[in-house]
Amino acid sequence: MPVMTTPIMSESEVRAAVEREMPGVRADLERLVRIPGIAFEGFDHSHVERSAEAVAELLRGCGLDVQIVRSGGQPAVIGRKAAPPGAPTVLLYAHHDVQPVGDLTLWESDPFEPVERDGRLYGRGAADDKAGIMAHVAALRAYGDALPVGVVLFVEGEEEYGSDSLERLLAEHRDEITSDVIVIADSANWDVGVPALTTSLRGIVNCFVQVRTLDHAVHSGMYGGAVPDALTALARLLATLHTDAGDVAVDGLAAREGASVDYPEDRFRAEAGLADGVSLIGTGRITDRLWTKPALAVLGIDAPATGEAPNALVPTAKAKLSVRLAPGDDPKRAYAALRAHLEKHAPWGAQVTLTFEHDGDPCVIDASGPMFDAARSAFRTAWDGTAPVDLGIGGSIPFIATFQEMFPRAAILVTGVEDPHARAHGPNESLHLGEFARVCLAEALLLRNVAVAGVDGR
Ligand code: BES
Ligand code: MN
């Protein structure tokens, strides 16, 4: 047993303390949501600076030593509090940047003015991932001076833009962030009322494919019939990316079978918001299609807008592609496989140019051992006896692989605040406030359980 200077708070004390803190946590979450910190190119990054400042202020308020750090990218916030003698140190990760909001007319309320409707708090970042930050803050506030573990808060400022400088940041601050357990609060629970631990995530490769068939636009009546337009050529090329059944048709991408969680098709259709009559694509279990097989989507196309398109053959057209990779796959190999496919299938000899945007590693987490037991027990208590489900996630948190390499002995607990109705990245993103309270309690209990398990519990 570790030597403790202060006794560890009991479960019921922790519960009462978290409840006491929730109103303040909610108010500070709303304050964060009002800051439109978007790390994407072309956005006003002064808001990301402000959002880092706001996070730094919150962490200082928890008695942490705080610094704002950067390494050529957006500002991250590191906050530290030393462990009581003999107790483990826990790294708590979240990100303070958010996705762009897209078409404002699709939002029922201002994305940066948080409002509550039907028990949910609406706003960009209300879930992904400002609630993740506030779950950490809630746990710290609940303990005050009686924090039973050491903590390193690491709140990144460019996760949604690919975390390009994160690897450098981690390397430069390695000594400050070394810890025994890592909690990454940026994932999702299985359902309202059912918690989860994420045990695998997909990787990602994003790129642009441009097709050229002509030097310049020409009259569609004069040349049409003998000259292929680039948009039709692009459409044909994109059509080769899936089989008729909707599986990804690119040779050389990995796929595997995943966790055996039952995801009933009608529940899945409803949560996705699939339009009537539209069939699912792909084959195999739904969870395998989402978590452990590759997926490929066309995210956007540059071509003349329909309202302005003249009667002319389009000389070039460009699409943005996003491939999600199965756990175990390699982004560089996958990109090469995609390139080979696109070059091989170029219709009518069209010139195809591929431009890489960014990629990220998938990961698999072996979720066994005392720290995972500590987490599962905390979740079960916070959800009144409902045990957490082990989940795969189809989304990506590429730097988890970096953490795994840098800190091979640390247990990595991927938790989160999202539920299937959170609509992260879309219009009308929201946080389920009742579930959020459980997430905060679970995190506080988790720190307690980790302290009890001790440094040797890794
Ligand atoms: N929080 C998400 C990851 C996630 C997605 C968790 C779905 C649970 C369910 C994270 O912020 C994210 O969106 N990541 C990006 C990574 C990319 C920019 C490299 C993603 O998956 O698109
Ligand atoms: Mn996120």
Side-chain angles (χ1 to χ4, degrees):
M1 282 297 285
V3 190
M4 288 293 163
T5 47
T6 39
I8 298 184
M9 276 162 71
S10 72
E11 205 175 278
S12 61
E13 284 169 330
V14 173
R15 197 182 272 278
V18 172
E19 249 167 60
R20 178 192 72 217
E21 297 299 335
M22 284 319 286
V25 166
R26 158 86 181 267
D28 286 326
L29 172 60
E30 294 191 8
R31 225 162 273 148
L32 290 183
V33 173
R34 290 196 181 93
I35 308 173
I38 298 164
F40 283 51
E41 218 176 281
F43 286 80
D44 180 356
H45 292 160
S46 70
H47 298 301
V48 188
E49 299 291 335
R50 284 204 296 131
S51 129
E53 284 295 341
V55 171
E57 200 48 50
L58 290 171
L59 300 189
R60 274 185 221 113
C62 297
L64 270 54
D65 286 328
V66 178
Q67 48 177 157
I68 294 182
V69 298
R70 71 186 76 227
S71 187
Q74 299 302 325
V77 188
I78 300 179
R80 300 170 65 211
K81 192 169 191 173
T89 294
V90 184
L91 186 151
L92 303 173
Y93 170 94
H95 60 89
H96 66 90
D97 64 306
V98 298
Q99 284 277 328
V101 298
D103 183 351
L104 267 178
T105 65
L106 298 174
W107 285 79
E108 280 167 39
S109 52
D110 182 344
F112 298 113
E113 187 45 57
V115 281
E116 181 176 344
R117 292 193 293 271
D118 300 328
R120 305 190 67 98
L121 185 70
Y122 285 81
R124 174 56 90 229
D128 185 8
D129 185 28
K130 288 173 172 172
I133 303 173
M134 291 315 299
H136 299 324
V137 170
L140 296 180
R141 284 184 182 168
Y143 287 106
D145 291 336
L147 190 63
V149 291
V151 287
V152 180
L153 268 278
F154 188 94
V155 184
E156 198 199 340
E158 56 182 25
E159 195 277 345
E160 301 290 8
Y161 197 53
S163 304
D164 283 344
S165 68
L166 185 66
E167 216 153 302
R168 284 198 305 277
L169 268 180
L170 294 178
E172 286 165 16
H173 297 276
R174 189 195 178 101
D175 293 346
E176 292 140 74
I177 60 180
T178 300
S179 38
D180 305 294
V181 181
I182 300 175
V183 178
I184 300 192
D186 189 24
S187 189
N189 284 313
W190 179 229
D191 203 351
V192 173
V194 188
L197 267 176
T198 299
T199 60
S200 77
L201 291 108
R202 286 196 288 199
I204 187 168
V205 180
N206 277 11
C207 63
F208 303 95
V209 57
Q210 191 183 55
V211 168
R212 177 180 286 282
T213 56
L214 282 163
D215 213 41
H216 50 267
V218 292
H219 194 288
S220 57
M222 273 179 79
Y223 292 96
V227 168
D229 70 82
L231 198 41
T232 300
L234 177 64
R236 290 181 76 99
L237 179 57
L238 297 179
T240 67
L241 291 168
H242 292 89
T243 64
D244 287 345
D247 283 313
V248 178
V250 177
D251 281 338
L253 300 183
R256 54 153 80 187
E257 284 208 356
S260 55
V261 179
D262 182 36
Y263 200 169
E265 182 169 334
D266 46 353
R267 177 185 157 196
F268 176 70
R269 294 182 70 95
E271 287 177 357
L274 213 63
D276 281 347
V278 177
S279 55
L280 300 184
I281 60 169
T283 50
R285 288 196 305 228
I286 290 178
T287 49
D288 289 355
R289 294 184 229 176
L290 299 175
W291 301 341
T292 58
K293 291 180 74 173
L296 195 155
V298 182
L299 301 183
I301 287 186
D302 292 337
T306 55
E308 294 150 24
N311 288 344
L313 300 182
V314 175
T316 67
K318 183 171 156 187
K320 179 172 185 178
L321 304 181
S322 183
V323 191
R324 297 285 175 171
L325 305 176
D329 210 348
D330 170 51
K332 304 291 177 231
R333 225 188 40 213
Y335 184 58
L338 180 62
R339 171 185 293 284
H341 178 102
L342 291 168
E343 284 169 356
K344 179 171 158 201
H345 290 86
W348 306 316
Q351 295 172 3
V352 170
T353 316
L354 206 59
T355 317
F356 176 80
E357 189 200 38
H358 64 75
D359 66 11
D361 287 320
C363 75
V364 184
I365 294 166
D366 170 13
S368 62
M371 290 311 174
F372 291 94
D373 296 342
R376 289 194 176 96
S377 141
F379 279 55
R380 197 180 305 110
T381 306
W383 270 266
D384 298 327
T386 303
V389 178
D390 278 4
L391 283 194
I393 284 287
S396 311
I397 308 182
F399 57 84
I400 292 181
T402 314
F403 276 125
Q404 287 177 320
E405 273 166 37
M406 277 181 80
F407 306 115
R409 282 171 56 84
I412 301 186
L413 308 170
V414 183
T415 67
V417 298
E418 290 176 34
D419 69 277
H421 311 284
R423 302 208 182 164
H425 296 201
N428 306 307
E429 173 178 351
S430 68
L431 172 72
H432 188 294
L433 289 162
E435 290 298 280
F436 179 55
R438 293 188 193 277
V439 169
C440 294
L441 173 58
E443 179 150 331
L445 292 171
L446 166 66
L447 297 185
R448 182 182 176 278
N449 292 354
V450 165
V452 171
V455 249
D456 299 324
R458 291 182 299 191

mmCIF file of all heavy atoms in Angstrom, residues 95 99 128-129 158-163 186-188 198 201 204 324 358-360 393-398 418 424-425, ligand 1:
data_model
loop_
_atom_site.group_PDB
_atom_site.id
_atom_site.type_symbol
_atom_site.label_atom_id
_atom_site.label_comp_id
_atom_site.label_asym_id
_atom_site.label_seq_id
_atom_site.Cartn_x
_atom_site.Cartn_y
_atom_site.Cartn_z
ATOM 1 N N HIS A 95 -8.956 17.888 -25.398
ATOM 2 C CA HIS A 95 -8.535 18.964 -26.320
ATOM 3 C C HIS A 95 -9.497 20.138 -26.239
ATOM 4 O O HIS A 95 -10.697 19.958 -26.022
ATOM 5 C CB HIS A 95 -8.360 18.457 -27.754
ATOM 6 C CG HIS A 95 -9.568 17.867 -28.404
ATOM 7 N ND1 HIS A 95 -10.479 18.630 -29.110
ATOM 8 C CD2 HIS A 95 -10.023 16.602 -28.485
ATOM 9 C CE1 HIS A 95 -11.421 17.840 -29.600
ATOM 10 N NE2 HIS A 95 -11.183 16.601 -29.222
ATOM 11 N N GLN A 99 -14.226 21.590 -33.875
ATOM 12 C CA GLN A 99 -14.436 21.515 -35.324
ATOM 13 C C GLN A 99 -15.099 22.811 -35.808
ATOM 14 O O GLN A 99 -15.840 23.447 -35.058
ATOM 15 C CB GLN A 99 -15.390 20.364 -35.642
ATOM 16 C CG GLN A 99 -14.768 18.997 -35.563
ATOM 17 C CD GLN A 99 -14.036 18.610 -36.832
ATOM 18 O OE1 GLN A 99 -14.423 19.002 -37.928
ATOM 19 N NE2 GLN A 99 -12.976 17.840 -36.685
ATOM 20 N N ASP A 128 -17.545 17.453 -27.560
ATOM 21 C CA ASP A 128 -16.213 17.158 -28.137
ATOM 22 C C ASP A 128 -15.380 18.424 -28.222
ATOM 23 O O ASP A 128 -15.474 19.150 -29.190
ATOM 24 C CB ASP A 128 -16.418 16.532 -29.527
ATOM 25 C CG ASP A 128 -15.133 16.072 -30.189
ATOM 26 O OD1 ASP A 128 -14.081 16.085 -29.544
ATOM 27 O OD2 ASP A 128 -15.191 15.714 -31.374
ATOM 28 N N ASP A 129 -14.506 18.792 -27.288
ATOM 29 C CA ASP A 129 -14.186 17.930 -26.176
ATOM 30 C C ASP A 129 -14.085 18.788 -24.923
ATOM 31 O O ASP A 129 -13.331 18.503 -24.023
ATOM 32 C CB ASP A 129 -12.886 17.185 -26.489
ATOM 33 C CG ASP A 129 -12.512 16.161 -25.429
ATOM 34 O OD1 ASP A 129 -13.414 15.648 -24.772
ATOM 35 O OD2 ASP A 129 -11.300 15.923 -25.236
ATOM 36 N N GLU A 158 -5.050 21.442 -30.967
ATOM 37 C CA GLU A 158 -5.203 21.233 -32.418
ATOM 38 C C GLU A 158 -5.559 19.788 -32.764
ATOM 39 O O GLU A 158 -5.204 19.307 -33.839
ATOM 40 C CB GLU A 158 -3.943 21.674 -33.174
ATOM 41 C CG GLU A 158 -2.679 20.989 -32.694
ATOM 42 C CD GLU A 158 -1.420 21.453 -33.418
ATOM 43 O OE1 GLU A 158 -1.384 22.570 -33.946
ATOM 44 O OE2 GLU A 158 -0.461 20.659 -33.444
ATOM 45 N N GLU A 159 -6.288 19.146 -31.860
ATOM 46 C CA GLU A 159 -6.647 17.742 -32.106
ATOM 47 C C GLU A 159 -7.492 17.606 -33.354
ATOM 48 O O GLU A 159 -7.305 16.697 -34.153
ATOM 49 C CB GLU A 159 -7.393 17.174 -30.886
ATOM 50 C CG GLU A 159 -7.485 15.647 -30.873
ATOM 51 C CD GLU A 159 -8.612 15.062 -31.706
ATOM 52 O OE1 GLU A 159 -9.524 15.815 -32.087
ATOM 53 O OE2 GLU A 159 -8.582 13.864 -31.988
ATOM 54 N N GLU A 160 -8.440 18.514 -33.515
ATOM 55 C CA GLU A 160 -9.364 18.400 -34.646
ATOM 56 C C GLU A 160 -8.684 18.740 -35.968
ATOM 57 O O GLU A 160 -9.269 18.559 -37.033
ATOM 58 C CB GLU A 160 -10.579 19.317 -34.443
ATOM 59 C CG GLU A 160 -11.385 19.034 -33.186
ATOM 60 C CD GLU A 160 -12.164 17.716 -33.232
ATOM 61 O OE1 GLU A 160 -11.981 16.931 -34.172
ATOM 62 O OE2 GLU A 160 -12.956 17.488 -32.295
ATOM 63 N N TYR A 161 -7.477 19.252 -35.885
ATOM 64 C CA TYR A 161 -6.755 19.573 -37.119
ATOM 65 C C TYR A 161 -5.555 18.642 -37.299
ATOM 66 O O TYR A 161 -4.577 18.974 -37.949
ATOM 67 C CB TYR A 161 -6.333 21.046 -37.109
ATOM 68 C CG TYR A 161 -5.952 21.547 -38.474
ATOM 69 C CD1 TYR A 161 -6.816 21.396 -39.568
ATOM 70 C CD2 TYR A 161 -4.723 22.172 -38.702
ATOM 71 C CE1 TYR A 161 -6.464 21.828 -40.828
ATOM 72 C CE2 TYR A 161 -4.366 22.618 -39.966
ATOM 73 C CZ TYR A 161 -5.242 22.441 -41.022
ATOM 74 O OH TYR A 161 -4.902 22.868 -42.285
ATOM 75 N N GLY A 162 -5.627 17.472 -36.663
ATOM 76 C CA GLY A 162 -4.633 16.444 -36.939
ATOM 77 C C GLY A 162 -3.467 16.384 -35.970
ATOM 78 O O GLY A 162 -2.561 15.573 -36.132
ATOM 79 N N SER A 163 -3.457 17.223 -34.929
ATOM 80 C CA SER A 163 -2.399 17.157 -33.896
ATOM 81 C C SER A 163 -0.997 17.158 -34.487
ATOM 82 O O SER A 163 -0.132 16.416 -34.034
ATOM 83 C CB SER A 163 -2.569 15.900 -33.032
ATOM 84 O OG SER A 163 -3.832 15.844 -32.453
ATOM 85 N N ASP A 186 -11.844 11.593 -24.579
ATOM 86 C CA ASP A 186 -12.218 12.148 -25.887
ATOM 87 C C ASP A 186 -12.987 11.119 -26.710
ATOM 88 O O ASP A 186 -12.981 11.160 -27.929
ATOM 89 C CB ASP A 186 -10.944 12.593 -26.634
ATOM 90 C CG ASP A 186 -11.261 13.388 -27.895
ATOM 91 O OD1 ASP A 186 -12.361 13.970 -27.968
ATOM 92 O OD2 ASP A 186 -10.410 13.418 -28.810
ATOM 93 N N SER A 187 -13.638 10.186 -26.032
ATOM 94 C CA SER A 187 -14.354 9.169 -26.783
ATOM 95 C C SER A 187 -15.829 9.180 -26.384
ATOM 96 O O SER A 187 -16.352 10.219 -25.988
ATOM 97 C CB SER A 187 -13.694 7.809 -26.568
ATOM 98 O OG SER A 187 -14.250 6.861 -27.454
ATOM 99 N N ALA A 188 -16.470 8.023 -26.489
ATOM 100 C CA ALA A 188 -17.919 8.007 -26.322
ATOM 101 C C ALA A 188 -18.347 6.853 -25.426
ATOM 102 O O ALA A 188 -17.639 5.855 -25.291
ATOM 103 C CB ALA A 188 -18.577 7.855 -27.686
ATOM 104 N N THR A 198 -13.097 2.500 -24.303
ATOM 105 C CA THR A 198 -12.739 2.308 -25.709
ATOM 106 C C THR A 198 -11.450 1.505 -25.790
ATOM 107 O O THR A 198 -10.448 1.873 -25.180
ATOM 108 C CB THR A 198 -12.565 3.675 -26.391
ATOM 109 O OG1 THR A 198 -13.809 4.367 -26.321
ATOM 110 C CG2 THR A 198 -12.156 3.520 -27.846
ATOM 111 N N LEU A 201 -9.304 1.985 -31.813
ATOM 112 C CA LEU A 201 -9.732 3.101 -32.680
ATOM 113 C C LEU A 201 -9.164 2.893 -34.065
ATOM 114 O O LEU A 201 -8.105 2.279 -34.232
ATOM 115 C CB LEU A 201 -9.234 4.446 -32.130
ATOM 116 C CG LEU A 201 -9.891 4.902 -30.827
ATOM 117 C CD1 LEU A 201 -8.933 4.787 -29.667
ATOM 118 C CD2 LEU A 201 -10.417 6.332 -30.946
ATOM 119 N N ILE A 204 -6.488 6.765 -39.906
ATOM 120 C CA ILE A 204 -7.091 7.624 -40.922
ATOM 121 C C ILE A 204 -6.049 8.046 -41.956
ATOM 122 O O ILE A 204 -4.874 8.213 -41.624
ATOM 123 C CB ILE A 204 -7.731 8.865 -40.246
ATOM 124 C CG1 ILE A 204 -8.521 9.717 -41.238
ATOM 125 C CG2 ILE A 204 -6.685 9.719 -39.526
ATOM 126 C CD1 ILE A 204 -9.410 10.771 -40.573
ATOM 127 N N ARG A 324 -10.782 5.445 -43.397
ATOM 128 C CA ARG A 324 -10.588 5.010 -42.003
ATOM 129 C C ARG A 324 -9.971 3.627 -42.047
ATOM 130 O O ARG A 324 -10.440 2.741 -42.789
ATOM 131 C CB ARG A 324 -11.925 4.955 -41.263
ATOM 132 C CG ARG A 324 -12.626 6.282 -41.126
ATOM 133 C CD ARG A 324 -11.990 7.187 -40.090
ATOM 134 N NE ARG A 324 -12.627 8.504 -40.068
ATOM 135 C CZ ARG A 324 -12.384 9.433 -39.146
ATOM 136 N NH1 ARG A 324 -11.498 9.208 -38.189
ATOM 137 N NH2 ARG A 324 -12.994 10.592 -39.192
ATOM 138 N N HIS A 358 -3.404 14.465 -44.423
ATOM 139 C CA HIS A 358 -2.771 13.991 -43.193
ATOM 140 C C HIS A 358 -3.208 12.560 -42.899
ATOM 141 O O HIS A 358 -4.156 12.051 -43.496
ATOM 142 C CB HIS A 358 -3.035 14.909 -41.999
ATOM 143 C CG HIS A 358 -4.468 14.995 -41.590
ATOM 144 N ND1 HIS A 358 -5.120 13.987 -40.915
ATOM 145 C CD2 HIS A 358 -5.394 15.968 -41.765
ATOM 146 C CE1 HIS A 358 -6.364 14.339 -40.698
ATOM 147 N NE2 HIS A 358 -6.563 15.542 -41.209
ATOM 148 N N ASP A 359 -2.490 11.932 -41.984
ATOM 149 C CA ASP A 359 -2.880 10.577 -41.601
ATOM 150 C C ASP A 359 -2.726 10.405 -40.105
ATOM 151 O O ASP A 359 -2.238 11.315 -39.419
ATOM 152 C CB ASP A 359 -2.082 9.519 -42.385
ATOM 153 C CG ASP A 359 -0.596 9.523 -42.053
ATOM 154 O OD1 ASP A 359 -0.178 10.187 -41.080
ATOM 155 O OD2 ASP A 359 0.161 8.842 -42.774
ATOM 156 N N GLY A 360 -3.178 9.280 -39.601
ATOM 157 C CA GLY A 360 -3.058 9.007 -38.172
ATOM 158 C C GLY A 360 -3.129 7.511 -37.942
ATOM 159 O O GLY A 360 -3.835 6.790 -38.654
ATOM 160 N N ILE A 393 -14.011 2.059 -31.619
ATOM 161 C CA ILE A 393 -14.538 3.340 -32.103
ATOM 162 C C ILE A 393 -14.078 3.480 -33.545
ATOM 163 O O ILE A 393 -12.949 3.142 -33.880
ATOM 164 C CB ILE A 393 -14.011 4.509 -31.216
ATOM 165 C CG1 ILE A 393 -14.752 4.556 -29.882
ATOM 166 C CG2 ILE A 393 -14.117 5.849 -31.927
ATOM 167 C CD1 ILE A 393 -16.178 5.049 -29.933
ATOM 168 N N GLY A 394 -14.983 3.938 -34.395
ATOM 169 C CA GLY A 394 -14.613 4.100 -35.804
ATOM 170 C C GLY A 394 -13.811 5.349 -36.058
ATOM 171 O O GLY A 394 -13.123 5.465 -37.061
ATOM 172 N N GLY A 395 -13.889 6.316 -35.137
ATOM 173 C CA GLY A 395 -13.125 7.553 -35.259
ATOM 174 C C GLY A 395 -11.675 7.321 -34.877
ATOM 175 O O GLY A 395 -11.262 6.191 -34.591
ATOM 176 N N SER A 396 -10.911 8.401 -34.884
ATOM 177 C CA SER A 396 -9.467 8.271 -34.702
ATOM 178 C C SER A 396 -8.951 9.208 -33.622
ATOM 179 O O SER A 396 -9.402 10.348 -33.518
ATOM 180 C CB SER A 396 -8.756 8.606 -36.019
ATOM 181 O OG SER A 396 -9.344 7.900 -37.085
ATOM 182 N N ILE A 397 -8.042 8.712 -32.817
ATOM 183 C CA ILE A 397 -7.265 9.558 -31.912
ATOM 184 C C ILE A 397 -5.817 9.109 -32.120
ATOM 185 O O ILE A 397 -5.276 8.306 -31.360
ATOM 186 C CB ILE A 397 -7.714 9.415 -30.437
ATOM 187 C CG1 ILE A 397 -9.246 9.609 -30.310
ATOM 188 C CG2 ILE A 397 -6.983 10.430 -29.561
ATOM 189 C CD1 ILE A 397 -9.783 9.534 -28.872
ATOM 190 N N PRO A 398 -5.200 9.619 -33.198
ATOM 191 C CA PRO A 398 -3.935 9.052 -33.672
ATOM 192 C C PRO A 398 -2.803 9.048 -32.653
ATOM 193 O O PRO A 398 -1.963 8.149 -32.663
ATOM 194 C CB PRO A 398 -3.574 9.965 -34.852
ATOM 195 C CG PRO A 398 -4.875 10.520 -35.333
ATOM 196 C CD PRO A 398 -5.714 10.665 -34.109
ATOM 197 N N GLU A 418 -19.184 11.575 -24.910
ATOM 198 C CA GLU A 418 -20.198 11.535 -25.971
ATOM 199 C C GLU A 418 -21.162 10.370 -25.769
ATOM 200 O O GLU A 418 -20.818 9.370 -25.153
ATOM 201 C CB GLU A 418 -19.520 11.413 -27.340
ATOM 202 C CG GLU A 418 -18.793 12.689 -27.733
ATOM 203 C CD GLU A 418 -18.036 12.548 -29.046
ATOM 204 O OE1 GLU A 418 -18.522 11.821 -29.934
ATOM 205 O OE2 GLU A 418 -16.960 13.156 -29.169
ATOM 206 N N ALA A 424 -21.261 15.047 -32.598
ATOM 207 C CA ALA A 424 -19.959 15.700 -32.665
ATOM 208 C C ALA A 424 -19.614 15.944 -34.131
ATOM 209 O O ALA A 424 -19.944 15.123 -34.985
ATOM 210 C CB ALA A 424 -18.906 14.816 -32.008
ATOM 211 N N HIS A 425 -18.982 17.034 -34.434
ATOM 212 C CA HIS A 425 -18.560 17.445 -35.782
ATOM 213 C C HIS A 425 -19.726 17.931 -36.640
ATOM 214 O O HIS A 425 -19.501 18.485 -37.707
ATOM 215 C CB HIS A 425 -17.809 16.340 -36.552
ATOM 216 C CG HIS A 425 -16.520 15.942 -35.916
ATOM 217 N ND1 HIS A 425 -15.509 15.308 -36.608
ATOM 218 C CD2 HIS A 425 -16.055 16.098 -34.658
ATOM 219 C CE1 HIS A 425 -14.494 15.074 -35.781
ATOM 220 N NE2 HIS A 425 -14.809 15.543 -34.591
HETATM 221 N N1 BES B 1 -13.380 12.715 -30.321
HETATM 222 C C1 BES B 1 -12.991 12.364 -31.659
HETATM 223 C C2 BES B 1 -12.674 10.874 -31.817
HETATM 224 C C3 BES B 1 -13.929 10.075 -31.685
HETATM 225 C C4 BES B 1 -14.764 9.973 -32.777
HETATM 226 C C5 BES B 1 -14.288 9.453 -30.507
HETATM 227 C C6 BES B 1 -15.939 9.263 -32.681
HETATM 228 C C7 BES B 1 -15.474 8.766 -30.393
HETATM 229 C C8 BES B 1 -16.303 8.680 -31.487
HETATM 230 C C9 BES B 1 -11.814 13.197 -32.073
HETATM 231 O O1 BES B 1 -11.899 14.527 -31.633
HETATM 232 C C10 BES B 1 -11.778 13.279 -33.585
HETATM 233 O O2 BES B 1 -12.735 13.676 -34.171
HETATM 234 N N2 BES B 1 -10.680 12.896 -34.198
HETATM 235 C C11 BES B 1 -10.469 13.071 -35.591
HETATM 236 C C12 BES B 1 -9.029 12.759 -35.838
HETATM 237 C C13 BES B 1 -8.462 13.326 -37.111
HETATM 238 C C14 BES B 1 -8.530 14.837 -37.151
HETATM 239 C C15 BES B 1 -7.029 12.877 -37.296
HETATM 240 C C16 BES B 1 -11.361 12.141 -36.414
HETATM 241 O O3 BES B 1 -11.617 10.999 -36.018
HETATM 242 O O4 BES B 1 -11.824 12.595 -37.456
#
